Amino acid sequence: MNRPNIVILGAGYGGIMTAAKLQKKLSADNANITLVNKHSYHYQTTWLHENAAGTLHHDRTRMEVDSVIDTNKINFVQDTVTGIDPDNKKVSLLNDELSYDYLVIGLGFEAATFGIQGLLENAFTINSINSARLIRQHIEYNFAKYNNEKDKKQERLNLVVGGAGFTGIEFVGELANRVPELCKEYDVPRENVRIINVEAAPTALPGFDPELVEYAMNSLEARGVEFKIGAMIKEVTSDKLVYEQDEEIEEIPTNTVVWAAGVRGNTLVEEAGFESNRGRTPVRDDLRPNGYDDVFIVGDCALIMNEETERPYPPTAQIAIQEAEHTAENLKRIVEGNDHLEPFTPNIQGTVASLGHNDAIGVIFDDKKIYGWSATAMKKIIDNRYLLKLGGPGLVLRKGKLNFFK
Amino acid sequence: MNRPNIVILGAGYGGIMTAAKLQKKLSADNANITLVNKHSYHYQTTWLHENAAGTLHHDRTRMEVDSVIDTNKINFVQDTVTGIDPDNKKVSLLNDELSYDYLVIGLGFEAATFGIQGLLENAFTINSINSARLIRQHIEYNFAKYNNEKDKKQERLNLVVGGAGFTGIEFVGELANRVPELCKEYDVPRENVRIINVEAAPTALPGFDPELVEYAMNSLEARGVEFKIGAMIKEVTSDKLVYEQDEEIEEIPTNTVVWAAGVRGNTLVEEAGFESNRGRTPVRDDLRPNGYDDVFIVGDCALIMNEETERPYPPTAQIAIQEAEHTAENLKRIVEGNDHLEPFTPNIQGTVASLGHNDAIGVIFDDKKIYGWSATAMKKIIDNRYLLKLGGPGLVLRKGKLNFFK
């Protein structure tokens, strides 16, 4: 084949890392590489909860694609993917259509709402720069309105987060840091504000070590977070949330529900006809879906099983990045005529959840538990390592989290 | 009379300056002085348009009452005035009632809406710290929402200011500086945003020298402000403004109407039974209303005539401050048993309108016109002089506008 067309969809963790690695591994003489993304920028999804709380500016979280990708080597198309046709090897964009010889799908997640009434219409989700800064402004606006009304509305100051999984816990941790600042800014007494985390499972952070869960809940409760555990959300309206706990129906008056309880793969992947379960497509060990040898799926749309636990690996940035690096290597082999593709196995190096800017919990080296400052530092090290891989030391200096004492 | 009770209502320019001067002129042995104010802080009403635009933080505009008033000498009561009964020499507060021997009313202005349909419900006014920061957040929230909607709503980006008088012009000047920052923050193209100033009179800045008006309009138009002059606002709804110009009815889709076109005195002054015209009470030359020798009115609720023009003096900070200083002196005389009160004449030293943070126009020394940097500097000098009078050099250093090159 002469200079195959490689098209990469999405510049999230999976897509942009595939592109960054390919531009090193292949020259423009070997392949035409095209990267498609809705925005001109890449962003770190795992930092968005900080942008949403208002504790980190979103410009720290995003970077222009052309600041990490050499657009002389890779053709960057800023457009929105509207459809994938794997049988005809075509991708529809809002303003164009592309043909490919090899396709890498890195289209990321969507919120899964499990059919909860009113959730889609009334809850916010943390899934983009746009949605994160809207949450920040929505919360601020409600604080600003509070003192402008004769009858003070408690629903403006009740901040409810649906889900005490990884994202939910990280977000309430940031809120716990942010709320005292908002109270000062808008002359609102701190004791009037509630941060409420509602979780359907019988524990916060399901899947985490119970000792770490206890540490996290203590740390957050000490900063004013209330937990409703084993509480199933039934309905969300513009001014309240209804949940069921211990067979009782309860209501919380609130204008602000942030849904952080479930993700699914991208609808476009289902619509393309790949076998899939809520937008996640089971892939073979080389990350190709059954029946398509010219398609690779990386990141949240790929479903791979953990053979030890017999459950799917969770959709994490860490795995998406490893899948991308792996796929770049396999594409290089294909372009060079080598038909032996390497099988992929995730290498989970550690999982750290922040609890605000000065506390965290995590597990590293398989089973070592860490807390507090060392966990916060480890989280920053992990984030900086990603930037180092993606754009080298310059990117770490521009966008990294370098202050380990804050 | 033994240690008379002097009660001052309101800690705006008039009220707080009366208190500040009285605490120097009288000792606690001579009089019981009580200052009543809704908030714990005093603020500079003439800076609120900057807080509302988001170009100056409201904490620069306000100061705690007890940071400028010695609460060992003056009793400060944080409460809301609900009624004045001048015949029984009583003032009702939300949580208390006070008796007085002498009363100083400095309750400030309210927005005059001239019965325009929907104005009260749908337009914002710049009249307090609370309302100013709500405007700032309202504008930001609409920018944040813009990119989160599939069908982009132009009404989120059309900022309409009702009135091209002093406050209206100063506010659009700040908006012209602020909008490019908001565009950057929320990824909105500058050309999508409109700043529209609607004025019913046949000119902007009615009463100003035509040459200065021309300069001001040119400066603002160059920064993207659109003027609708001779345009009468007919109706405001939550998503549009309707006006009539040249006998045509026109609509502007907008979620943001800021009403800066009319003020009136405080309703409480009318309700107290003083002769009054839209909340402004005609006062004798010693600032006492007809029939009440124990009441002084300072600031926006006092109506005094300019004998040269045969029109009332406009309600400005400059005059309120002079009235307060004058009233403090007259109260000292009364307390000391001197029944000759000095008559008051405003001494207009200059009027400067800012056009954003780097341009201004004004008239000083009766008829000298100033523009640009010298006018901006003069504005800052005037503001700093007030702080010097109120709280001495320390207050100028804390709250003054000291950077003359920005």
Side-chain angles (χ1 to χ4, degrees):
Chain A
M1 197 188 310
N2 235 340
R3 297 182 72 227
N5 278 323
I6 300 174
V7 172
I8 304 165
L9 303 183
Y13 288 109
I16 203 159
M17 187 60 90
T18 305
K21 291 294 169 190
L22 276 181
Q23 81 181 3
K24 286 190 192 156
K25 289 174 190 284
L26 296 177
S27 79
D29 298 335
N30 302 133
N32 294 323
I33 306 171
T34 301
L35 173 65
V36 181
N37 195 51
K38 190 172 5 177
H39 302 111
S40 65
Y41 51 83
H42 161 69
Y43 54 84
Q44 297 209 56
T45 312
T46 58
W47 294 11
L48 288 175
H49 64 284
E50 299 175 59
N51 310 146
T55 47
L56 182 79
H57 193 269
H58 54 262
D59 282 340
R60 290 288 311 282
T61 297
R62 66 178 171 180
M63 56 207 77
E64 290 299 309
V65 168
D66 65 11
S67 74
V68 274
I69 296 298
D70 181 350
T71 51
N72 292 316
K73 293 187 178 170
I74 292 185
N75 179 29
F76 175 59
V77 175
Q78 190 187 334
D79 206 337
T80 301
V81 181
T82 55
I84 303 166
D85 178 355
D87 295 321
N88 295 303
K89 298 186 164 214
K90 283 190 191 315
V91 175
S92 327
L93 309 180
L94 208 56
N95 308 299
D96 203 356
E97 189 182 74
L98 300 174
S99 296
Y100 63 81
D101 297 307
Y102 295 99
L103 183 68
V104 180
I105 299 177
L107 288 171
F109 70 95
E110 294 175 2
T113 57
F114 306 116
I116 294 171
Q117 201 181 333
L119 190 66
L120 200 64
E121 299 80 7
N122 298 303
F124 295 87
T125 53
I126 304 174
N127 56 7
S128 66
I129 293 284
N130 273 320
S131 72
R133 67 186 161 196
L134 179 59
I135 293 171
R136 177 192 75 188
Q137 288 310 118
H138 175 83
I139 293 172
E140 278 215 54
Y141 190 43
N142 276 286
F143 271 75
K145 278 216 154 181
Y146 184 73
N147 275 332
N148 278 276
E149 290 165 329
K150 270 205 178 145
D151 297 317
K152 304 274 185 267
K153 294 185 178 162
Q154 182 58 36
E155 55 264 41
R156 297 205 183 281
L157 304 184
N158 287 349
L159 310 176
V160 183
V161 178
F166 207 88
T167 307
I169 286 289
E170 288 201 319
F171 183 51
V172 294
E174 296 301 318
L175 281 182
N177 286 139
R178 178 65 176 146
V179 160
E181 296 172 3
L182 289 169
C183 288
K184 186 158 179 292
E185 178 69 13
Y186 296 99
D187 300 324
V188 171
R190 172 64 185 90
E191 61 270 24
N192 292 14
V193 183
R194 295 174 66 189
I195 305 171
I196 307 161
N197 195 350
V198 181
E199 169 59 50
T203 173
L205 290 168
F208 258 69
D209 179 279
E211 205 181 306
L212 292 176
V213 174
E214 199 176 5
Y215 178 93
M217 289 181 72
N218 266 338
S219 166
L220 293 168
E221 283 174 338
R223 282 181 285 146
V225 174
E226 301 169 47
F227 287 97
K228 309 279 183 197
I229 300 296
M232 186 80 78
I233 297 175
K234 296 306 217 183
E235 189 187 356
V236 181
T237 74
S238 62
D239 61 4
K240 69 171 189 293
L241 173 132
V242 183
Y243 66 93
E244 184 178 340
Q245 191 179 28
D246 300 333
E247 296 180 20
E248 300 279 342
I249 297 289
E250 308 276 355
E251 278 188 23
I252 305 170
T254 178
N255 292 330
T256 309
V257 175
V258 177
W259 178 246
V263 297
R264 45 163 291 147
N266 200 294
T267 315
L268 290 167
V269 171
E270 288 171 321
E271 291 169 358
F274 299 115
E275 176 192 347
S276 69
N277 180 1
R278 292 208 258 132
R280 300 187 76 190
T281 293
V283 287
R284 291 171 280 165
D285 65 4
D286 52 18
L287 300 171
R288 294 187 289 189
N290 290 321
Y292 295 93
D293 282 350
D294 45 14
V295 176
F296 295 82
I297 305 184
V298 296
D300 303 341
C301 298
L303 187 71
I304 51 179
M305 295 302 288
N306 182 335
E307 289 176 6
E308 277 177 42
T309 63
E310 293 184 344
R311 298 187 54 190
Y313 280 102
T316 66
Q318 186 175 189
I319 294 176
I321 294 160
Q322 292 176 7
E323 288 171 342
E325 293 177 291
H326 194 88
T327 296
E329 175 59 27
N330 278 341
L331 278 166
K332 173 177 181 273
R333 291 179 180 218
I334 289 173
V335 170
E336 288 172 351
N338 178 349
D339 61 1
H340 174 71
L341 301 192
E342 283 289 320
F344 173 73
T345 317
N347 173 18
I348 308 297
Q349 295 158 320
T351 306
V352 183
S354 75
L355 306 170
H357 63 64
N358 40 18
D359 203 357
I361 53 166
V363 178
I364 55 172
F365 309 134
D366 261 0
D367 59 357
K368 181 172 162 40
K369 295 178 221 171
I370 53 175
Y371 306 82
W373 185 82
S374 58
T376 304
M378 181 58 70
K379 180 100 181 165
K380 290 175 183 167
I381 289 167
I382 293 169
D383 288 339
N384 292 341
R385 267 189 78 206
Y386 166 66
L387 294 170
L388 185 69
K389 274 189 189 181
L390 180 63
L395 189 60
V396 178
L397 289 175
R398 281 199 297 125
K399 300 287 183 182
K401 291 190 173 171
L402 302 176
N403 185 347
F404 283 82
F405 298 97
K406 205 184 122 189
Chain B
M1 197 188 307
N2 235 341
R3 298 182 71 224
N5 277 322
I6 299 175
V7 172
I8 304 165
L9 303 183
Y13 289 110
I16 203 160
M17 187 60 91
T18 305
K21 291 295 171 190
L22 276 182
Q23 81 181 3
K24 285 189 194 159
K25 288 174 190 283
L26 294 178
S27 79
D29 298 335
N30 301 133
N32 293 322
I33 305 171
T34 302
L35 173 65
V36 181
N37 195 51
K38 191 174 2 180
H39 302 110
S40 64
Y41 51 83
H42 161 69
Y43 54 85
Q44 298 210 56
T45 312
T46 59
W47 293 12
L48 288 175
H49 64 284
E50 298 175 60
N51 309 147
T55 48
L56 182 79
H57 193 270
H58 55 262
D59 282 340
R60 289 289 312 281
T61 296
R62 67 176 170 180
M63 56 207 77
E64 291 297 309
V65 169
D66 65 11
S67 74
V68 275
I69 296 298
D70 180 348
T71 50
N72 293 316
K73 292 186 177 170
I74 292 185
N75 179 28
F76 175 58
V77 174
Q78 189 187 333
D79 206 336
T80 302
V81 180
T82 56
I84 302 167
D85 179 353
D87 295 321
N88 294 302
K89 300 187 163 211
K90 283 189 192 312
V91 175
S92 328
L93 310 180
L94 209 55
N95 307 299
D96 204 355
E97 189 181 73
L98 299 175
S99 296
Y100 63 79
D101 297 306
Y102 295 98
L103 183 69
V104 180
I105 300 177
L107 288 172
F109 70 96
E110 295 175 2
T113 57
F114 307 117
I116 295 171
Q117 202 180 329
L119 190 66
L120 199 64
E121 298 79 7
N122 297 303
F124 294 87
T125 54
I126 305 174
N127 56 6
S128 65
I129 294 285
N130 274 319
S131 72
R133 69 187 159 193
L134 178 60
I135 292 170
R136 177 191 76 189
Q137 287 311 117
H138 176 82
I139 293 172
E140 278 214 54
Y141 190 44
N142 276 285
F143 271 75
K145 277 216 154 182
Y146 184 72
N147 275 331
N148 278 276
E149 289 165 328
K150 271 204 176 147
D151 298 317
K152 304 273 186 264
K153 294 184 179 162
Q154 182 57 38
E155 55 264 41
R156 298 204 183 280
L157 304 184
N158 287 350
L159 310 177
V160 183
V161 178
F166 207 89
T167 307
I169 287 289
E170 288 202 318
F171 182 52
V172 294
E174 296 300 319
L175 281 182
N177 285 138
R178 178 64 176 146
V179 160
E181 296 173 1
L182 288 170
C183 288
K184 185 158 180 293
E185 177 70 12
Y186 296 100
D187 300 324
V188 170
R190 171 65 185 89
E191 60 271 24
N192 293 13
V193 182
R194 296 174 66 191
I195 304 171
I196 307 162
N197 195 348
V198 181
E199 169 60 49
T203 173
L205 289 169
F208 258 69
D209 179 281
E211 206 180 304
L212 292 176
V213 174
E214 201 176 3
Y215 178 93
M217 288 180 73
N218 267 337
S219 165
L220 292 168
E221 282 174 340
R223 283 181 284 147
V225 175
E226 301 170 47
F227 286 97
K228 309 282 183 196
I229 301 294
M232 185 80 79
I233 298 175
K234 297 304 220 183
E235 189 189 353
V236 181
T237 73
S238 63
D239 61 2
K240 69 170 188 293
L241 174 132
V242 183
Y243 66 93
E244 184 177 342
Q245 191 179 28
D246 301 332
E247 297 179 20
E248 301 279 342
I249 298 289
E250 308 276 356
E251 278 188 21
I252 305 171
T254 177
N255 292 331
T256 307
V257 176
V258 177
W259 177 246
V263 296
R264 45 162 292 147
N266 200 294
T267 314
L268 290 168
V269 171
E270 288 171 320
E271 292 171 356
F274 301 115
E275 179 190 346
S276 71
N277 181 0
R278 291 210 258 131
R280 299 188 77 191
T281 294
V283 288
R284 290 172 278 164
D285 63 5
D286 53 18
L287 301 171
R288 293 186 291 189
N290 290 320
Y292 295 92
D293 282 349
D294 45 14
V295 176
F296 295 81
I297 306 184
V298 296
D300 302 341
C301 298
L303 187 73
I304 51 180
M305 296 301 288
N306 182 334
E307 288 176 6
E308 278 177 42
T309 63
E310 293 185 343
R311 297 187 54 191
Y313 281 102
T316 66
Q318 186 176 187
I319 293 178
I321 294 161
Q322 291 175 9
E323 289 171 341
E325 293 176 291
H326 194 88
T327 296
E329 175 58 27
N330 278 341
L331 278 167
K332 173 176 181 273
R333 289 180 183 220
I334 289 174
V335 169
E336 289 174 348
N338 179 347
D339 61 1
H340 174 71
L341 301 193
E342 282 287 319
F344 174 73
T345 316
N347 172 19
I348 308 296
Q349 295 159 320
T351 306
V352 184
S354 75
L355 306 169
H357 63 64
N358 40 18
D359 204 357
I361 54 167
V363 178
I364 53 171
F365 309 134
D366 261 0
D367 60 356
K368 181 172 163 39
K369 294 177 221 172
I370 53 174
Y371 306 83
W373 185 82
S374 58
T376 305
M378 182 58 70
K379 179 100 181 165
K380 288 175 184 168
I381 289 167
I382 292 169
D383 287 339
N384 292 341
R385 265 189 79 206
Y386 165 66
L387 293 172
L388 186 66
K389 273 188 189 181
L390 181 63
L395 189 60
V396 178
L397 290 174
R398 279 199 296 128
K399 299 289 183 180
K401 291 190 171 172
L402 302 176
N403 185 347
F404 284 80
F405 299 95
K406 207 184 118 191

